[in-house]
Amino acid sequence: MTYRDRKIVVVARLKAKPLLAGQLLCALLLAWLIVRQAWPVRADGAAEMLRAILFGDAVATAAMLAAAFGLWTSVRLWRQRETYVFHDGVRLYRGSTLSWPLDAIRDVVTERGALGLTSLRLVVDDDSEVTRPLVMLPLLDGSPEAVRGGVLFAASGMRGVPGGVTVN
């Protein structure tokens, strides 16, 4: 597979079942919220139903926006599940939105986030103390050690001497 005229190496894929469950849950929640808003004014016509959906209860409208955002995120991750973390020899990419130069990657660590979910995070050499999220472990298809080893192997290949990676 090529990406911008370079051969890519896939480091991590995402599991399909959690993404499908997220899509289904968000779609059902969105449909339930829309029906809940439109049901009381169903006899008044489509325009009144649309008005009730968009300008009715503010909390329900905010919940609809959150459910739509969750559905959009689940669909986007579903489309990227086979090549979620990959590199092309120069940069490491997460999905289609984030990337880091391989020579700036120092380590891959496991940390627990604010919601209690464990994720793999990158330690990037850019004089900041913040790690960058790479992939949440419940969504990861494969072992975290293999992903960590693949990222560190690719990053150490940019420095010339493999360091910190053991290959059996």
Side-chain angles (χ1 to χ4, degrees):
M1 181 184 285
T2 60
Y3 186 76
R4 296 186 183 155
D5 300 330
R6 290 187 215 122
K7 187 167 178 66
I8 70 163
V9 177
V10 176
V11 179
R13 292 178 170 85
L14 299 178
K15 290 179 185 176
K17 287 182 183 178
L19 298 176
L20 285 173
Q23 289 177 32
L24 182 63
L25 180 68
C26 289
L28 288 174
L29 180 63
L30 182 62
W32 178 75
L33 287 167
I34 288 172
V35 168
R36 183 176 169 267
Q37 285 291 99
W39 192 260
V41 293
R42 67 187 180 277
D44 297 338
E48 192 62 34
M49 288 173 65
L50 184 61
R51 195 173 300 115
I53 291 170
L54 295 177
F55 304 114
D57 184 13
V59 174
T61 303
M64 282 188 270
L65 289 174
F69 178 74
L71 179 62
W72 174 75
T73 301
S74 296
V75 169
R76 182 177 50 86
L77 288 174
W78 172 262
R79 293 180 66 206
Q80 299 172 355
R81 73 187 181 283
E82 291 298 319
T83 58
Y84 189 64
V85 178
F86 63 95
H87 72 86
D88 60 1
V90 179
R91 298 185 71 83
L92 179 73
Y93 298 91
R94 186 193 83 182
S96 61
T97 56
L98 293 175
S99 67
W100 303 271
L102 282 174
D103 58 354
I105 297 172
R106 297 295 169 230
D107 199 6
V108 180
V109 296
T110 303
E111 288 184 5
R112 187 171 302 274
L115 297 175
L117 295 174
T118 308
S119 64
L120 284 177
R121 299 181 68 87
L122 290 175
V123 178
V124 180
D125 187 25
D126 63 353
D127 296 331
S128 72
E129 308 248 342
V130 180
T131 58
R132 308 306 192 281
L134 188 60
V135 63
M136 290 191 312
L137 292 186
L139 295 179
L140 182 63
D141 188 21
S143 73
E145 293 82 20
V147 175
R148 181 180 187 274
V151 170
L152 291 178
F153 183 76
S156 65
M158 293 306 299
R159 290 188 282 276
V161 179
V165 178
T166 304
V167 179
N168 293 332

